[in-house]
Amino acid sequence: MEPIEHRIKILPAYNSMQDEEPTLDELYAKKDNDFKYHLQQIANGNSFNMHYNYLLKTYLCNNENTIVKVTDSIGQ
């Protein structure tokens, strides 16, 4: 006969796509696109030092003489 009181906590909707880890191909593509983006920025005449130093620090272990081999045969 007495009123009942409930406390309900509403959580955000579950998105299964957020919880999935990226595949190896997706990780490689992300790094590949990032590297290409910074090279293109240099080619377009944007801040050479900023983009060059980013590539040097992020991908080339601060060694400008690092050998980079480009291949399109991912996973083969």
Side-chain angles (χ1 to χ4, degrees):
M1 295 287 184
E2 295 180 24
I4 298 175
E5 186 177 305
H6 292 283
R7 292 184 186 254
I8 299 173
K9 183 176 183 179
I10 300 174
L11 301 174
Y14 174 75
N15 184 352
S16 65
M17 295 300 287
Q18 275 183 337
D19 295 336
E20 291 181 13
E21 292 195 20
T23 65
L24 190 57
D25 287 340
E26 291 170 339
L27 292 173
Y28 283 137
K30 183 177 178 184
K31 291 194 179 291
D32 184 45
N33 290 336
D34 185 50
F35 199 92
K36 288 178 183 178
Y37 168 78
H38 288 281
L39 286 178
Q40 188 62 52
Q41 293 304 306
I42 293 170
N44 290 345
N46 293 323
S47 175
F48 174 83
N49 288 335
M50 182 183 81
H51 294 287
Y52 177 76
N53 289 330
Y54 173 83
L55 291 173
L56 197 61
K57 182 181 76 162
T58 306
Y59 297 107
L60 305 175
C61 301
N62 288 322
N63 181 0
E64 62 185 25
N65 295 318
T66 300
I67 297 172
V68 176
K69 181 178 178 183
V70 178
T71 178
D72 288 336
S73 60
I74 295 174
Q76 292 180 353

